Amino acid sequence: MTNDAQMIGERIRAGRKARGWGQQRLIAEMRQAAAQQGLRLPEDASVKRRIASWENGHSVPDDFYGPLLCKALDTSAAELGLNHLTGTDAALLDTSYPATPQDAANAVGQLWRADLNGYEPLLDSQPSEPAWHEASVRWLVTPEPMPLTGVGGSNGVRVGLGDVAAIKTTTDLFAQLDDRFGGDHARHSLIQYLSREVSPLLDGQHKEAVGRALLSTAAESTLLAGWMSYDACHHGLAQRYFLQALRLAQDGDDRRLAGSILSAMSHQATFLGHYSHAKTLASAALLGISGVATPTLRAQFHAMEARALARMGDTRGCERALSEATKALESRNSGDEPEWITYFDEAELAAEAAHCFRDVNSARKSVEYAQNAMSGSHVRSDFFATMVLADAHLRAGEAEEACRVALDALDLGEQLKSARCVSYLAEFRQHLARIGPTPAIRDFYEQAAEHRLWAAAG
């Protein structure tokens, strides 16, 4: 036992008792603080053992528990003697919207390094619901980018448009890998590139125009990191990447990209069951780029709104949003669209509609749209659409056809490393189990057992 540990333990016990709390109340307050940051604590007995160890001076709170303890006791790390928490580690789990572009650059650099180092509290974190609300509101009410005076320059690296172009080209290559092989295939390599090559540039010397382009391109790269982390089901980490990307896009003066980042956040919120937040994020994206929106962007944002409304059981609202998406897409001119949104075409919209009608229990409509959702060029998207088609057939009472289509999806997904793909299969597996062991289903299980993704869904 060190004197420092004893001192910290005494301060923790004094802070708890000053509030008239037992250890169980402190656990409850820490659990509430964790939930606000999208984090999860282990079972009460485990946390209670930790508290006893701290208060008895046998150990001190680490970078994960320390900030939660400070929040619960409404005190600073310094007041508790936790001076080791005043550095960057404590900031890694923060989900507040960055105040300045420099804050975003610093924060995203810290996230990249922690991600590379496998920092478990970050990798295992969950999204914060208040962060979705704060990000959309803050972005909407501060539409103008901040001056870049004083941003960067501390490391002496000179940044030019050639550097920005290199980031863009490299990000595009990683996006192709993500699309073809799933987020878990090259995610670590992307983060390594961003940390080692892009982070120094964000702290480099540049002219204003180059700085804007750099921030916009870094935002696009960080958005991809968010998508890949989301696909790997590192959901809290993905949200933090999305938040930093949104701030970078804002100060890169790229309103369209910022709207697309909100749309990605909406997509994740729907996947995780936070439907009202998902609708709000999609609506914020539509409102925030109203002056610079392109037809394809409007179509994609309306589709995200429809996905959330379908999950909320609002069939009429869902159909209205899908109608708006269809009308917008019909008026597009590909030459006027940002390059990164051109993937969203009739097949992608059909896939979104198939998800929607499945979720409002219109199985026949879901089948119709899913059959038109195969692009042939986007492996993971085609896997999702094929699984939605299989699920729609199952809901329509066509178990044999559902199993046949699901086997097609498993063939498609053989090269994918995607936790989201596994979740689609796990849901389908649950639906099959409710039907019972028919000959067709027994045969499907035998054939599916040979596939890696199916085994992961078990």
Side-chain angles (χ1 to χ4, degrees):
M1 240 182 356
T2 67
N3 290 334
D4 284 345
Q6 285 180 317
M7 178 269 291
I8 290 170
E10 289 169 0
R11 291 183 181 182
I12 293 172
R13 182 184 291 108
R16 173 173 63 79
K17 290 189 173 182
R19 288 158 178 78
W21 294 352
Q23 290 184 349
Q24 198 61 43
R25 173 64 185 276
L26 179 56
I27 292 170
E29 295 292 330
M30 290 177 65
R31 199 172 293 284
Q32 181 177 345
Q36 290 174 352
Q37 296 186 39
L39 305 173
R40 289 178 181 169
L41 292 181
E43 61 185 8
D44 285 1
S46 175
V47 182
K48 192 170 186 177
R49 284 193 297 271
R50 289 179 181 272
I51 293 173
S53 177
W54 302 333
E55 292 189 349
N56 291 323
H58 297 151
S59 65
V60 297
D62 61 14
D63 296 326
F64 176 72
Y65 285 96
L68 300 179
L69 187 63
C70 292
K71 179 72 172 177
L73 293 174
D74 193 23
T75 189
S76 68
E79 288 174 294
L80 290 179
L82 303 177
N83 297 317
H84 62 290
L85 298 180
T86 58
T88 59
D89 286 347
L92 287 171
L93 302 176
D94 185 24
T95 55
S96 59
Y97 191 61
T100 69
Q102 186 65 66
D103 288 340
N106 291 340
V108 79
Q110 293 169 16
L111 286 173
W112 291 334
R113 289 191 297 274
D115 192 352
L116 274 182
N117 292 329
Y119 185 55
E120 289 186 4
L122 181 63
L123 293 173
D124 296 340
S125 65
Q126 294 300 309
S128 161
E129 291 189 56
W132 282 320
H133 175 73
E134 181 193 7
S136 58
V137 171
R138 290 279 299 277
W139 180 69
L140 284 171
V141 301
T142 54
E144 296 301 321
M146 290 183 67
L148 294 186
T149 304
V151 176
S154 66
N155 63 12
V157 174
R158 298 189 65 84
V159 184
L161 290 177
D163 298 301
V164 176
I167 298 171
K168 171 65 176 170
T169 300
T170 305
T171 300
D172 288 345
L173 291 173
F174 276 110
Q176 293 172 27
L177 293 173
D178 172 53
D179 183 43
R180 184 173 177 183
F181 299 111
D184 252 343
H185 173 72
R187 198 189 76 82
H188 191 269
S189 297
L190 170 65
I191 302 304
Q192 185 175 56
Y193 168 75
L194 294 174
S195 182
R196 294 185 178 179
E197 303 297 332
V198 178
S199 191
L201 298 180
L202 290 175
D203 203 26
Q205 299 177 2
H206 48 69
K207 296 180 180 178
E208 172 107 0
V210 173
R212 299 288 183 205
L214 174 64
L215 291 176
S216 174
T217 305
E220 189 176 343
S221 302
T222 306
L223 170 61
L224 178 60
W227 272 114
M228 294 173 84
S229 300
Y230 165 26
D231 197 48
C233 287
H234 296 304
H235 290 299
L237 175 61
Q239 185 194 49
R240 286 161 176 82
Y241 281 140
F242 290 148
L243 289 170
Q244 306 309 324
L246 184 63
R247 178 74 225 201
L248 292 170
Q250 176 184 333
D251 291 297
D253 201 16
D254 196 335
R255 202 74 183 165
R256 291 171 174 175
L257 179 60
S260 189
I261 294 164
L262 284 176
S263 179
M265 295 167 77
S266 173
H267 195 292
Q268 184 193 30
T270 294
F271 181 82
L272 293 173
H274 301 284
Y275 309 129
S276 61
H277 285 295
K279 181 186 180 301
T280 298
L281 288 161
S283 298
L286 283 162
L287 178 62
I289 69 161
S290 58
V292 294
T294 66
T296 305
L297 285 170
R298 287 200 306 272
Q300 206 269 344
F301 299 169
H302 278 300
M304 290 303 97
E305 183 182 27
R307 286 281 296 269
L309 289 168
R311 285 290 194 173
M312 294 168 72
D314 185 353
T315 302
R316 182 175 298 180
C318 170
E319 291 179 341
R320 183 171 58 250
L322 285 175
S323 176
E324 292 294 330
T326 301
K327 287 191 292 185
L329 200 60
E330 288 172 349
S331 67
R332 79 187 187 280
N333 180 346
S334 297
D336 297 331
E337 300 286 348
E339 176 270 333
W340 40 261
I341 197 60
T342 53
Y343 79 93
F344 194 83
D345 55 13
E346 288 81 2
E348 287 287 334
L349 181 55
E352 301 297 350
H355 279 84
C356 290
F357 287 114
R358 178 202 63 180
D359 294 338
V360 297
N361 295 317
S362 295
R364 291 297 176 192
K365 280 189 176 182
S366 183
V367 167
E368 177 187 344
Y369 280 100
Q371 287 173 334
N372 294 316
M374 313 303 167
S375 67
S377 57
H378 300 293
V379 177
R380 184 177 49 206
S381 293
D382 285 352
F383 173 90
F384 290 143
T386 305
M387 282 308 305
V388 170
L389 178 60
D391 204 28
H393 277 303
L394 200 61
R395 296 181 187 216
E398 301 163 352
E400 187 171 352
E401 181 65 8
C403 289
R404 185 193 66 77
V405 172
L407 286 173
D408 290 342
L410 286 169
D411 288 336
L412 266 175
E414 195 59 35
Q415 61 188 358
L416 289 169
K417 292 184 178 180
S418 163
R420 275 197 299 154
C421 290
V422 172
S423 73
Y424 274 62
L425 289 167
E427 186 176 14
F428 182 73
R429 191 169 193 150
Q430 290 172 359
H431 295 165
L432 275 182
R434 295 173 191 157
I435 296 175
T438 68
I441 291 176
R442 282 196 297 268
D443 183 56
F444 167 78
Y445 277 129
E446 290 179 7
Q447 296 183 65
E450 302 174 1
H451 294 270
R452 173 182 54 82
L453 284 178
W454 183 256

